């Protein structure tokens, strides 16, 4: 974003202006590779525009081969775009030479699926490594490394070697190392994919804490939708090298628009109907059939009093078929599937009654 014409920004105005700029911006970025035979081209990213807001935790999701790794590798300059520019914290990294990239890379931390720790170095020495490379003196390194090990909960393991640590502990070392050079941006390439669900939760908790305490921007790529649900403020869906949908995690997860998003999120959010219901479900109303209705609540309001009231007021017989309460980005999302013995008119009135109480409904079909 440029300063308004004729206006020079300084002091608080400049600070506010910088704060509004995204931490990372892809501007019309394309990236193609020669295929294995070298004859044809593979388009990994296709005129992609995308921005990662400052201090957000943003997740990129997409099918295998959609372009996720290429996108993240462009951020720290491991790849150069074929065209377009990649701006990180105000610097166009795509325009920099390898030597000019070196100091910029210090402001971009990265964590990996397989941790990438040096096995011959202790925990302390792994975290110290980027500082040694940057020429920081021994005393300053110590002043930096010990608080970082404290932050990630490994102060008592500083003299251990990676082989003596669990997967979660290794990733904590990876995070401490990534933070050693005070980055503005932390990139994560499937950093929890090799961890069990409980360890994943604790690593995500740590990333959230770091994001909140240090105001660090976190950009993650992952194929684990549970990770996105737990940690991301924002989510972007990449398909065929383009961002096809993006928004706050709650909106994207509860109202996915693009077919790829719908496919990726199928079975991730809300209830799953038992097979004995789905096998009998028909899309058209039939005489004597019950309507199967999904009732959705997105706030703290529960469905049960609503359904009790509905049954009482309209004299309907309701059967609960399935129900679940999810947490997406820290907010509850509840779904309850009921069948009701209602013809078209009564069904419309029942849905109106539920809507008036602030809940949403969707007719899934009809069962005899
Ligand atoms: N160095 C390369 N040489 C040739 N083709 C490449 C190269 N890197 C990526 N590609 C191709 O670019 C496309 C996008 O790859 P990318 O690795 O970015 O996808 P991805 O979404 O990260 O996939 P996955 O989830 O499987 O890791 C794929 O078709 C891939 O084969």
């Amino acid at each position: 974003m440029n300063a308004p014409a004729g206006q020079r920004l300084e002091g608080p105005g400049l600070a506010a202006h910088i704060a509004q700029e995204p931490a990372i911006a892809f501007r019309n970025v394309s990236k193609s590779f020669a295929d294995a035979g070298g004859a044809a081209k593979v388009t990994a990213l296709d005129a992609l525009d995308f921005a990662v807001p400052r201090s957000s935790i943003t997740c990129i999701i997409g099918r295998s081969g959609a372009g996720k790794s290429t996108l993240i590798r462009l951020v720290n300059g491991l790849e150069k775009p074929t065209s377009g520019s990649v701006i990180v914290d105000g610097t166009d990294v795509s325009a920099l030479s390898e030597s000019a990239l070196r100091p910029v890379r210090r402001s971009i931390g990265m964590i990996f699926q397989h941790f990438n720790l040096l096995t011959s170095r202790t925990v302390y020495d792994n975290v110290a490594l980027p500082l040694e490379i940057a020429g920081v003196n021994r005393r300053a390194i110590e002043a930096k490394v010990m608080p970082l090990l404290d932050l990630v909960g490994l102060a008592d393991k500083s003299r251990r070697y990676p082989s003596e640590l669990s997967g979660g502990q290794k990733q904590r070392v990876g995070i401490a190392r990534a933070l050693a050079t005070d980055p503005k941006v932390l990139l994560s390439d499937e950093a929890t994919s090799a961890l069990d669900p409980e360890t994943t939760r604790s690593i995500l908790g740590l990333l959230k804490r770091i994001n909140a305490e240090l105001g660090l921007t976190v950009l993650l790529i992952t194929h684990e939708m549970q990770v996105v649900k737990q940690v991301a403020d924002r989510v972007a869906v990449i398909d065929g090298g383009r961002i096809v949908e993006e928004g706050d995690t709650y909106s994207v997860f509860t109202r996915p628009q693009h077919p790829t998003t719908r496919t990726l999120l199928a079975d991730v959010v809300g209830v799953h109907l038992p097979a004995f219901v789905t096998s009998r479900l028909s899309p058209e109303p039939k005489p004597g059939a019950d309507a199967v209705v999904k009732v959705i609540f997105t706030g703290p309001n529960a469905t049960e009093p609503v359904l009790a009231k509905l049954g009482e007021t309209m004299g309907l017989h309701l059967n609960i078929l399935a129900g679940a309460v999810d947490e997406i980005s820290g907010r509850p999302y509840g779904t309850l599937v009921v069948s009701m013995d209602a013809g078209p008119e009564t069904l419309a009135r029942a849905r109106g009654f539920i809507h008036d109480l602030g809940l949403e409904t969707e007719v899934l079909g009809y069962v005899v």
Side-chain angles (χ1 to χ4, degrees):
M1 192 198 314
N2 295 320
Q7 191 183 328
R8 200 163 151 241
L9 292 172
E10 48 193 38
L14 178 61
H17 176 72
I18 290 171
Q20 283 170 16
E21 292 241 321
I24 304 169
F26 285 76
R27 306 223 170 109
N28 201 20
V29 171
S30 293
K31 174 71 184 173
S32 46
F33 295 100
D35 75 353
K41 278 191 171 173
V42 179
T43 303
L45 299 179
D46 183 13
L48 179 138
D49 279 302
F50 175 54
V52 179
R54 261 172 214 276
S55 302
S56 69
I57 302 185
T58 298
C59 273
I60 313 268
I61 59 173
R63 296 190 180 101
S64 184
K68 303 180 293 296
S69 298
T70 305
L71 183 146
I72 218 160
R73 288 166 64 80
L74 284 165
V75 177
N76 57 9
L78 286 173
E79 299 281 2
K80 294 262 183 232
T82 309
S83 60
S85 48
V86 181
I87 318 289
V88 182
D89 196 27
T91 301
D92 184 352
V93 293
S94 46
L96 297 179
S97 66
E98 198 51 35
S99 59
L101 259 175
R102 236 165 274 142
V104 173
R105 284 211 183 104
R106 282 184 214 127
S107 67
I108 306 169
M110 182 141 179
I111 53 175
F112 308 87
Q113 180 175 6
H114 298 297
F115 324 121
N116 295 14
L117 302 179
L118 293 179
T119 51
S120 59
R121 284 185 154 234
T122 62
V123 164
Y124 180 100
D125 290 337
N126 264 285
V127 178
L129 185 64
L131 297 167
E132 287 171 20
I133 293 171
V136 177
N137 71 48
R138 189 188 279 256
R139 188 169 291 200
I141 289 179
E142 196 175 330
K144 190 80 209 174
V145 174
M146 286 319 291
L148 278 173
L149 289 178
D150 222 15
L151 177 75
V152 300
L154 288 180
D156 59 333
K157 301 271 188 290
S158 67
R159 294 284 147 220
R160 298 290 183 88
Y161 286 87
S163 59
E164 300 172 285
L165 303 178
S166 68
Q169 289 169 335
K170 284 180 196 163
Q171 195 54 286
R172 285 170 184 270
V173 179
I175 292 171
R177 181 186 55 188
L179 297 178
T181 50
D182 293 323
K184 301 272 178 42
V185 168
L186 180 67
L187 306 176
S188 162
D189 188 353
E190 299 283 4
T192 54
S193 300
L195 305 174
D196 62 63
E198 197 186 332
T199 312
T200 294
R201 261 194 301 280
S202 86
I203 292 294
L204 297 179
L206 176 61
L207 289 179
K208 270 193 141 170
R209 188 151 65 84
I210 290 165
N211 163 258
E213 285 177 15
L214 310 178
L216 190 74
T217 306
V218 183
L219 177 64
L220 297 106
I221 58 174
T222 182
H223 68 272
E224 299 172 294
M225 298 306 138
Q226 294 300 332
V227 165
V228 185
K229 226 157 87 168
Q230 284 171 53
V231 79
D233 312 315
R234 294 187 65 75
V235 61
V237 185
I238 186 168
D239 192 30
R242 282 174 166 260
I243 301 293
V244 294
E245 181 163 2
E246 64 175 302
D248 71 86
T249 308
Y250 197 83
S251 308
V252 173
F253 269 58
T254 58
R255 291 187 184 79
Q257 304 294 318
H258 192 275
T260 302
T261 319
R262 287 174 186 263
T263 307
L264 290 170
L265 298 182
D267 301 334
V268 176
V269 177
V271 286
H272 310 297
L273 278 180
F276 79 88
V277 179
T278 47
S279 62
R280 289 162 49 213
L281 208 59
S282 92
E284 302 300 332
K286 286 183 192 160
D290 283 0
V292 177
V293 179
K294 179 152 86 175
V295 182
I296 301 160
F297 60 102
T298 52
N301 47 347
T303 45
E304 274 177 41
V306 173
L307 295 179
K309 263 191 225 165
L310 177 68
E312 211 174 280
T313 314
M314 298 189 57
L316 285 172
H317 291 120
L318 301 172
N319 259 328
I320 295 178
L321 300 175
V325 181
D326 248 316
E327 192 173 284
I328 303 166
S329 219
R331 287 171 60 191
Y333 177 75
T335 38
L336 199 61
V337 179
V338 293
S339 67
M340 49 178 92
D341 58 340
E345 250 177 56
T346 315
L347 177 61
R349 278 201 297 130
R351 293 182 73 189
F353 181 93
I354 299 171
H355 293 174
D356 289 347
L357 293 167
L359 282 77
E360 293 174 35
T361 61
E362 184 186 333
V363 177
L364 301 179
Y366 300 85
V367 282
V368 184

